[in-house]
Amino acid sequence: MSNVDWEGNKETYEDPDEQRVLFAALDSFYQYAKVAHFNTTHLRRQSFYALPRAHLELLAAPPFSYLDTLNAVDDAIDKNAELSLAIWQAGLESFGIPQQLGSSHPPVPIDWRGKATSLDLEKARSTLRQFYRDWSEEGNAERETCYQPVLKALKEERSARSGSRMRVLVPGAGLARLVFDLCCAGFDTEGNEISYHQLLASSYILNHCHYSGAHTLFPWVHSFSNHRNRANHLNSVEIPDLHPSTTLGSVELAGEMSMSASDFLLLYGDKGRKDTFDAVATVFFLDTAPNIIRYVEAIKNCLRPSGLFVNVGPLLWHFENNAPGQHGREKDSVSDPVSDNNNGKGIADPGAVELTDDEVVALIEKLGFDIEKKEFGITAPYIQDPESMLQNTFKASHWVARKR
């Protein structure tokens, strides 16, 4: 498999505002270890040594050995940092960015160092954890729950079309595992993602990671809550569970893969993308919309007549906690790539609404689709430690709609 090109990279790097956001994402992966060590173990050591001496001595000895636990957590963070730095290094190479300012000709106009906000740093940490879901063997159960309904619906549609080639769009592609799986199933698939954290990480795993099991990830190490024992807290997984290039290369009739780095509404709502896809697959995506009507309009625009709209996911509306009326009005200076797209067309367009599941289905029908299948209550964990004492599980909705 040849390298997957991320459409929009060159334009992004040449735009000063987008460049700042890209540099903030790169810096957040670079700083992961320093920040994780400080927040996860350094502050806990300070709190531990502030205990009364008798309490400290009790917990320092077996079977607790609390200081040994903190040392083990530090070691786990260092292993996670190997993946984080690999993403950072591959990102620099992909965009032709030198590690040191002034080492290029002409020099880079903005140094990537020190650009990450606290939100960027949190996104880097959560992106690393997402590898558990999308690129570990242990995360397969989560993938099966959410991706198999999509694959099943698309395979049935392909059979109804007598096996004809289908072009599929996956908005909010994240770490690109669904895109990859669809390509392995023979679908020409285009993923779309706006987050530079996700784009950098998915580009690394698809294009730069040399073999399966190249990294050891400790997905639960940052939190000390709800662990039954330390073995669960310090549980690790191997990343990735397969080598994407080798696996896809062994598939006889694999589909073509592409990715776009862009605002979903600006790109796929454009008339230049009208009637270009046979299907759109949204998984844990629709609730990222401030205004879901715009999402559905863009999907309808890029779908060919009689095209299929397949959805799996909950309705955890991502902007619900914004003060009413504030979406699209308050700018996060460097952490939000859509902050300067507030032009009435992109995701940052002012206006937000949160609907129920049955209202979303009714809206889909109002906007020019026929619902062909609807299922509610799919048990769907999301980056969930199966051994945790706290289990958060979605009851996801799955439906298939056809453009009229």
Side-chain angles (χ1 to χ4, degrees):
M1 181 184 74
S2 60
N3 279 6
V4 181
D5 290 329
W6 264 240
E7 178 184 337
N9 274 9
K10 186 174 186 294
E11 293 82 358
T12 292
Y13 188 54
E14 291 178 349
D15 182 281
D17 293 324
E18 296 294 312
Q19 188 182 87
R20 281 195 295 272
V21 182
L22 168 64
F23 283 10
L26 288 167
D27 183 44
S28 68
F29 284 114
Y30 180 73
Q31 290 198 57
Y32 161 77
K34 180 182 72 173
V35 173
H37 282 306
F38 180 81
N39 290 332
T40 311
T41 56
H42 175 72
L43 295 179
R44 281 187 170 84
R45 284 191 179 91
Q46 288 185 329
S47 296
F48 179 76
Y49 284 118
L51 291 171
R53 184 172 184 83
H55 299 178
L56 185 154
E57 291 177 348
L58 172 66
L59 294 175
F64 311 103
S65 303
Y66 193 72
L67 291 175
D68 290 342
T69 293
L70 295 181
N71 290 337
V73 169
D74 276 329
D75 291 341
I77 289 171
D78 286 339
K79 294 300 292 185
N80 288 355
E82 293 178 11
L83 174 58
S84 187
L85 289 175
I87 294 168
W88 164 76
Q89 181 68 52
L92 293 179
E93 293 174 1
S94 296
F95 286 92
I97 303 170
Q99 293 187 24
Q100 300 296 327
L101 189 66
S103 61
S104 65
H105 302 284
V108 176
I110 306 174
D111 189 356
W112 56 265
R113 295 169 296 185
K115 295 298 185 294
T117 66
S118 59
L119 180 57
D120 288 307
L121 295 167
E122 174 56 33
K123 286 180 179 179
R125 189 176 76 169
S126 65
T127 298
L128 294 179
R129 287 179 67 245
Q130 192 170 334
F131 276 100
Y132 167 83
R133 175 180 173 87
D134 273 359
W135 292 101
S136 79
E137 181 178 347
E138 291 80 356
N140 185 59
E142 290 192 14
R143 296 196 298 274
E144 285 282 320
T145 297
C146 298
Y147 297 165
Q148 282 306 310
V150 172
L151 283 160
K152 183 175 183 290
L154 293 177
K155 287 177 180 178
E156 290 174 352
E157 177 70 7
R158 183 170 59 191
S159 295
R161 298 183 181 204
S162 301
S164 61
R165 201 110 177 147
M166 288 179 61
R167 190 174 183 217
V168 182
L169 171 66
V170 180
L175 297 188
R177 184 56 184 257
L178 179 56
V179 173
F180 173 81
D181 287 349
L182 286 170
C183 287
C184 287
F187 296 96
D188 296 333
T189 311
E190 181 172 316
N192 167 250
E193 181 56 58
I194 195 170
S195 165
Y196 290 115
H197 292 82
Q198 302 282 306
L199 288 163
L200 292 168
S202 58
S203 178
Y204 169 72
I205 210 70
L206 290 173
N207 294 328
H208 301 277
C209 189
H210 297 303
Y211 52 91
S212 64
H215 298 280
T216 300
L217 177 72
F218 292 80
W220 323 123
V221 75
H222 303 103
S223 172
F224 278 62
S225 297
N226 289 308
H227 298 295
R228 292 179 56 216
N229 51 57
R230 286 300 166 202
N232 292 342
H233 182 199
L234 296 168
N235 187 38
S236 65
V237 297
E238 300 303 306
I239 302 295
D241 59 315
L242 51 79
H243 185 232
S245 180
T246 302
T247 301
L248 198 56
S250 67
V251 176
E252 185 175 352
L253 296 175
E256 296 181 0
M257 183 188 301
S258 62
M259 291 285 289
S260 65
S262 61
D263 184 306
F264 168 69
L265 295 182
L266 291 176
L267 182 59
Y268 298 99
D270 185 81
K271 62 182 180 180
R273 296 287 177 133
K274 186 172 177 59
D275 301 339
T276 51
F277 293 95
D278 299 296
V280 174
T282 55
V283 177
F284 279 67
F285 175 72
L286 292 183
D287 53 7
T288 67
N291 179 358
I292 190 174
I293 295 176
R294 290 209 182 277
Y295 270 25
V296 179
E297 288 174 338
I299 289 168
K300 183 180 179 182
N301 176 70
C302 68
L303 267 178
R304 292 175 179 141
S306 298
L308 218 58
F309 180 4
V310 185
N311 177 70
V312 176
L315 290 175
L316 180 64
W317 296 107
H318 287 211
F319 295 96
E320 182 176 3
N321 291 328
N322 284 28
Q326 290 304 303
H327 176 74
R329 300 179 188 276
E330 294 180 345
K331 297 183 178 181
D332 184 351
S333 59
V334 293
S335 66
D336 187 352
V338 301
S339 63
D340 291 312
N341 286 335
N342 187 5
N343 55 10
K345 296 179 181 179
I347 292 172
D349 180 26
V353 64
E354 299 90 22
L355 302 180
T356 65
D357 184 60
D358 60 350
E359 289 171 340
V360 169
V361 172
L363 179 67
I364 298 300
E365 293 177 312
K366 288 280 188 183
L367 293 177
F369 291 85
D370 293 319
I371 301 292
E372 296 189 345
K373 175 182 179 181
K374 186 177 186 301
E375 178 183 358
F376 178 77
I378 296 176
T379 301
Y382 194 91
I383 317 180
Q384 176 66 52
D385 176 5
E387 299 299 323
S388 173
M389 298 169 68
L390 174 64
Q391 297 291 319
N392 289 320
T393 304
F394 293 104
K395 294 292 186 181
S397 177
H398 167 48
W399 41 260
V400 179
R402 189 176 301 276
K403 179 181 174 179
R404 295 192 195 109

